[in-house]
Amino acid sequence: MIRLAAAVMATLGVALATAASAQGVSVTGLSGQRAELTAADLAAMPHLAVTLQLEGGKSEACEGVALSDILAKVGAPQGHALRGPEMTDAVLVGAADGYHVVLALAETDPGVRTNRVILADKCDGAAMVAPEGPFRMVVEGDLRPARSARQVTSITVVRVMPPAR
């Protein structure tokens, strides 16, 4: 009986540790700069409201942090610094279920395009929970939510170099 209780407690501890680590997002910049953002960190940052277009013509009103603000924490180029070689930079977004999406870094910059990209922590006025949350990428203007990855756990800036001529 004691072994069973110990096994249950150990399993519960692993589950709680996994759930706790899933409540944050790991952000990595081009030079390896890292930021671990917790739910509390993201909640304290300025939020924007964006409409998420869902399948079947439905939509949700989501709130979250501009992806450009998150990327600034790891030194991603923005504004006038986003030109030349930086135009080949991309943002790889990873989700807990293994889903990945890629955006051009320029797509995340409000100086390049008017449609916004946010990391949402609320939709329809409530905190997001599984299977959608706790964080969802929302790409404003997309006609379907294929790039709006759910359960986001990582955001990585990478340089995509064109093939040599």
Side-chain angles (χ1 to χ4, degrees):
M1 185 62 131
I2 292 174
R3 282 186 184 164
L4 177 60
V8 168
M9 292 302 285
T11 302
L12 181 59
V14 169
L16 290 174
T18 300
S21 68
Q23 295 298 310
V25 177
S26 174
V27 185
T28 307
L30 279 173
S31 300
Q33 311 94 311
R34 293 184 52 86
E36 297 293 332
L37 300 176
T38 65
D41 295 332
L42 291 165
M45 294 175 73
H47 277 54
L48 302 171
V50 171
T51 300
L52 170 62
Q53 293 299 320
L54 301 171
E55 301 286 342
K58 296 180 183 179
S59 64
E60 286 184 347
C62 296
E63 298 172 39
V65 178
L67 187 56
S68 58
D69 290 348
I70 293 169
L71 296 173
K73 294 202 173 284
V74 293
Q78 296 182 7
H80 292 292
L82 186 57
R83 62 174 187 242
E86 288 77 21
M87 293 304 287
T88 65
D89 293 348
V91 180
L92 175 63
V93 178
D97 63 0
Y99 193 72
H100 287 85
V101 297
V102 174
L103 301 162
L105 179 62
E107 289 182 275
T108 71
D109 191 293
V112 174
R113 64 191 292 270
T114 57
N115 287 339
R116 298 164 298 175
V117 180
I118 66 168
L119 185 63
D121 54 6
K122 292 181 183 176
C123 280
D124 287 340
M128 296 184 0
V129 296
E132 304 298 319
F135 309 110
R136 181 172 190 162
M137 186 69 50
V138 178
V139 182
E140 186 177 45
D142 280 3
L143 299 177
R144 60 188 187 94
R147 296 192 302 169
S148 292
R150 302 178 291 184
Q151 299 180 343
V152 172
T153 58
S154 66
I155 301 169
T156 306
V157 182
V158 297
R159 174 129 322 144
V160 180
M161 295 305 295
R165 294 185 199 203

